[in-house]
Amino acid sequence: MITITVNGKAVEIEGEMSVERLLDTVEVPPNYLAVELNSDVVPREDYSAVTVHAGDEVEVVTLVGGG
Amino acid sequence: MSIASDQDPTATDVDQPALRVGHHTLGSRLIVGTGRYDTMEQMRDSLQASGADCVTVAVRREKLYERGGQNILDFIDLDRYTLLPNTAGCYTAADAIRAAKLGREILRTLGNPGSDWVKLEVLGDSKTLLPDPAETVTACRELTAEGFQVLCYTSDCPVTAQRLKQAGAASVMPAGSPIGSGQGLLNPNNLRIILEYLKEDDPDYPVIIDAGVGTASDVSQAFELGGDAVLLNTAIAHARDPVRMATAMRHAAIAGRNAFLAGRIPKRLYGTASSPSEGVISTRPYGSQASS
């Protein structure tokens, strides 16, 4: 198991994995999301190629109501 | 209740060139926010009643492990509306830039035309929600360099407005009064100065009045001053009847814009009669004073 930070919270995952596999834990359609890995946006086309390592900081965001 | 804009015979838009902001062309001159509604259905119906074709949305962390809620994108017709992602709630240029890039990525994957612009909001004070001018200018410059068309929320300070235009803003959006305060346009003179300065030698430069609207007359006033568009949220979302208020805002925008284009008469100290002075049935000379 490795520990990463997702949206500010420490999360344990099985091991290093792709962003795509990490997002399999999420129910919302992937095109409602954007992902940032260590402060850089990960384009959706790269989800399968980009790997999350121990200690990485991941942000997963969506759109909400706002003005 | 839903009041469809296309069913209202009084909803004739103004005969004028469409508003251009950056690469975008807006049919309606109202831009509305999507926050603070009681329900998603109420938001959807209010957006429709407002007649807006551009709506702004915020970027927030997804609640990954406690889901079950609705997603706003299921209630916004992406074929009808151009989304305008915003950086609301950010207090530094760095955070605002991150939010802008994340918003762009979501809109890109959705195929929405709004992926190339952003409403930049960098706050400086959590109580008044007034912007941080230095951070806003920094973020505006960097986002413009990154290829964004930046619509900049700012205060009604004319100097800051000029700095933002110089920093590359596609539109400067001065506040009428603090966000969500409903106080209307507190300093119309400053807004006039901003409009004069930013449009000098550049009359088509879009200036959008953003924030502080309380009711329909505030919207009309913003257009009568010469504002190109109005962005508002809470005045609709927190009205007792949001759909009806959205309808009122649509009419107010049309009325105010028409009044601006038509040209108001100058204010005079004394009355000037609308009826002819000839042929009045009176023994008293028409122009005589009451005391004579």
Side-chain angles (χ1 to χ4, degrees):
Chain A
M1 300 286 276
I2 61 170
T3 302
I4 60 172
T5 303
V6 179
N7 290 358
K9 289 181 187 167
V11 175
E12 290 212 327
I13 57 175
E14 295 170 16
E16 293 184 353
M17 62 176 69
S18 66
V19 170
E20 185 173 41
R21 191 157 154 234
L22 180 69
L23 287 180
D24 283 343
T25 58
V26 185
E27 293 167 25
V28 290
N31 62 347
Y32 285 7
L33 300 177
V35 176
E36 199 185 58
L37 179 62
N38 300 325
S39 299
D40 287 321
V41 172
V42 181
R44 192 167 62 164
E45 300 79 35
D46 297 346
Y47 283 179
S48 58
V50 172
T51 304
V52 179
H53 303 277
D56 279 352
E57 295 192 4
V58 180
E59 293 282 348
V60 183
V61 302
T62 188
L63 298 177
V64 301
Chain B
M1 182 186 69
S2 172
I3 302 172
S5 59
D6 54 359
Q7 291 172 358
D8 187 339
T10 64
T12 52
D13 208 342
V14 184
D15 180 20
Q16 61 179 328
L19 174 63
R20 289 192 62 82
V21 181
H23 303 146
H24 293 269
T25 302
L26 299 180
S28 167
R29 287 171 180 260
L30 271 188
I31 300 172
V32 292
T34 54
R36 309 186 79 175
Y37 285 94
D38 286 343
T39 65
M40 294 283 191
E41 290 80 4
Q42 187 186 63
M43 178 206 71
R44 179 195 59 208
D45 294 346
S46 298
L47 298 188
Q48 184 184 353
S50 76
D53 47 21
C54 171
V55 301
T56 184
V57 289
V59 177
R60 286 292 179 274
R61 283 173 167 169
E62 178 60 84
K63 293 172 185 158
L64 294 171
Y65 303 106
E66 43 185 285
R67 276 206 59 80
Q70 300 166 308
N71 191 293
I72 194 169
L73 294 175
D74 290 325
F75 293 84
I76 296 176
D77 181 351
L78 294 173
D79 293 327
R80 170 171 176 172
Y81 297 106
T82 298
L83 297 185
L84 174 62
N86 66 56
T87 65
C90 291
Y91 281 80
T92 64
D95 283 349
I97 291 166
R98 285 174 69 191
K101 288 180 178 176
L102 287 163
R104 175 167 69 179
E105 173 65 9
I106 296 176
L107 265 62
R108 186 184 68 84
T109 59
L110 289 170
N112 191 268
S115 61
D116 61 351
W117 66 358
V118 65
K119 172 188 164 177
L120 175 64
E121 176 182 312
V122 190
L123 300 177
D125 175 41
S126 62
K127 196 166 182 179
T128 61
L129 300 180
L130 286 171
D132 184 318
E135 293 290 307
T136 305
V137 170
T138 299
C140 179
R141 190 175 292 120
E142 292 192 24
L143 286 170
T144 301
E146 291 266 358
F148 282 91
Q149 298 158 72
V150 184
L151 286 66
C152 261
Y153 164 71
T154 183
S155 70
D156 59 17
C157 168
V159 177
T160 309
Q162 288 176 292
R163 291 281 181 272
L164 289 170
K165 186 180 176 190
Q166 289 161 4
S171 173
V172 173
M173 306 202 293
S177 54
I179 294 169
S181 71
Q183 295 188 65
L185 312 186
L186 286 181
N187 196 338
N189 286 345
N190 267 18
L191 297 176
R192 280 192 188 94
I193 293 167
I194 289 172
L195 286 159
E196 182 184 318
Y197 283 3
L198 299 192
K199 288 173 173 289
E200 193 173 23
D201 304 322
D202 190 7
D204 294 332
Y205 186 79
V207 177
I208 299 171
I209 311 302
D210 178 5
V213 164
T215 189
S217 53
D218 299 333
V219 170
S220 291
Q221 187 189 10
F223 283 103
E224 288 169 11
L225 289 173
D228 294 287
V230 170
L231 196 161
L232 66 108
N233 187 155
T234 307
I236 293 176
H238 276 195
R240 191 171 60 243
D241 182 343
V243 175
R244 188 174 290 274
M245 185 58 89
T247 307
M249 295 304 188
R250 175 162 54 84
H251 288 277
I254 294 167
R257 180 66 181 167
N258 262 326
F260 172 73
L261 293 174
R264 65 155 299 139
I265 61 165
K267 293 182 181 180
R268 297 177 201 276
L269 185 58
Y270 299 110
T272 59
S274 304
S275 306
S277 55
E278 299 271 324
V280 177
I281 306 169
S282 171
T283 55
R284 186 164 160 271
Y286 191 84
S288 65
Q289 292 181 7
S291 58
S292 64

